[in-house]
Amino acid sequence: MTRVLVVEDDPDLALALRTLLTRAGYEVLHADNGRDGLRLLFAERPALLLLDIGLPGLDGWQVLERTRDISDLPVLLLTARGAESDRVRGLRAGADDYLPKPFGNDELLARVEALLRRSAPAAGWAGDSFGEDGLRLVPERRSAVWQGQEARLSDIEYRLLQLLVRNRGRVITTDQLLDRVWDDPEGTGRERVKFAVMRLRRKLRQAAGDEAADPLEAVRGLGYRYRG
């Protein structure tokens, strides 16, 4: 049974989430504060984290930062409706998706299912190399070897790079990336693409130890492509 960790301090919302997810077939763990949430994260190794931002004590931002220090598991942020700054900050910090409150049950389950589906092991590509110095995707580790150095990627970053590499030299639009990487055919939340690409490019440059070593290119007004 897939294990989901819910870190939410509102008792009514936490109960509703636990009931909804349990009925959908998930094993649900719950913490009502950031410190207990991190303890469960270390001890139980869930497949997905539902994280409220407004937590007492250790807030959601701190929990997200510490989570990303140790794990690339999918993180779905629960944010206040209309708080665009929170959503942008969360995406910059490495969250995979966000859901404004209040939200519908069907939408929540759809987001959870999409994140878990994307985090499933990818097939193929382990032995493929691209470019003069070579870029190799390692699906079993969700990483990329770039210029001889490994860069550990989140599930979203890995899927994003895989799609761009597969379409080497071709511009993939932002809407196409949302549809195929985020399962978002309506094209909502387009800023997710921008920040995910920024994190991916930074990791590749850091792995190579060279700020100029970037195999990805932003095509203004269109999207992105892998140069190779």
Side-chain angles (χ1 to χ4, degrees), residues 19-72:
T19 301
L20 177 65
L21 292 167
T22 299
R23 288 177 178 172
Y26 298 102
E27 178 184 351
V28 182
L29 306 170
H30 172 243
D32 62 6
N33 63 80
R35 294 191 184 281
D36 287 346
L38 285 172
R39 292 190 188 102
L40 282 173
L41 185 71
F42 279 107
E44 302 295 339
R45 306 280 181 170
L48 174 71
L49 172 61
L50 267 64
L51 178 62
D52 180 36
I53 290 175
L55 296 171
L58 197 70
D59 66 20
W61 304 120
Q62 294 168 299
V63 173
L64 176 59
E65 181 181 4
R66 297 186 188 185
T67 297
R68 279 292 169 256
D69 286 342
I70 63 168
S71 174
D72 288 325

Side-chain angles (χ1 to χ4, degrees), residues 40-116:
L40 282 173
L41 185 71
F42 279 107
E44 302 295 339
R45 306 280 181 170
L48 174 71
L49 172 61
L50 267 64
L51 178 62
D52 180 36
I53 290 175
L55 296 171
L58 197 70
D59 66 20
W61 304 120
Q62 294 168 299
V63 173
L64 176 59
E65 181 181 4
R66 297 186 188 185
T67 297
R68 279 292 169 256
D69 286 342
I70 63 168
S71 174
D72 288 325
L73 90 162
V75 176
L76 175 59
L77 284 185
L78 305 180
T79 70
R81 178 173 293 279
E84 181 181 356
S85 60
D86 283 349
R87 298 197 293 270
V88 169
R89 182 178 175 184
L91 293 170
R92 286 183 184 272
D96 297 284
D97 202 353
Y98 58 83
L99 191 57
K101 300 177 184 177
F103 44 78
N105 291 347
D106 289 342
E107 182 177 10
L108 173 71
L109 290 176
R111 299 287 184 103
V112 167
E113 291 165 4
L115 285 172
L116 290 171

Side-chain angles (χ1 to χ4, degrees), residues 7 31 33 43-44 66 89 118 140 160 176 194:
V7 184
N33 63 80
E44 302 295 339
R66 297 186 188 185
R89 182 178 175 184
R118 292 198 298 261
E140 65 272 16
L160 181 62
Q176 288 174 325
K194 174 183 176 180

Side-chain angles (χ1 to χ4, degrees), residues 80-159:
R81 178 173 293 279
E84 181 181 356
S85 60
D86 283 349
R87 298 197 293 270
V88 169
R89 182 178 175 184
L91 293 170
R92 286 183 184 272
D96 297 284
D97 202 353
Y98 58 83
L99 191 57
K101 300 177 184 177
F103 44 78
N105 291 347
D106 289 342
E107 182 177 10
L108 173 71
L109 290 176
R111 299 287 184 103
V112 167
E113 291 165 4
L115 285 172
L116 290 171
R117 182 167 59 249
R118 292 198 298 261
S119 66
W125 296 90
D128 290 337
S129 296
F130 302 86
E132 181 178 351
D133 295 306
L135 185 148
R136 183 166 58 89
L137 300 180
V138 187
E140 65 272 16
R141 292 174 56 83
R142 273 297 196 268
S143 66
V145 177
W146 171 234
Q147 295 193 352
Q149 301 298 320
E150 185 175 27
R152 297 298 299 272
L153 308 176
S154 71
D155 294 317
I156 286 290
E157 292 159 359
Y158 182 89
R159 284 170 58 86

Side-chain angles (χ1 to χ4, degrees), residues 146-210:
W146 171 234
Q147 295 193 352
Q149 301 298 320
E150 185 175 27
R152 297 298 299 272
L153 308 176
S154 71
D155 294 317
I156 286 290
E157 292 159 359
Y158 182 89
R159 284 170 58 86
L160 181 62
L161 183 58
Q162 183 185 53
L163 179 60
L164 291 170
V165 166
R166 185 175 293 177
N167 292 274
R168 178 181 184 180
R170 174 184 166 194
V171 176
I172 307 298
T173 69
T174 297
D175 288 341
Q176 288 174 325
L177 291 169
L178 276 170
D179 183 18
R180 297 167 67 179
V181 177
W182 278 266
D183 296 325
D184 184 4
E186 301 302 318
T188 57
R190 301 174 85 246
E191 67 268 25
R192 284 180 287 187
V193 176
K194 174 183 176 180
F195 293 124
V197 172
M198 286 173 57
R199 294 194 304 269
L200 175 58
R201 298 176 79 174
R202 183 170 62 247
K203 286 184 178 181
L204 292 175
R205 290 194 297 265
Q206 288 174 345
D210 182 355

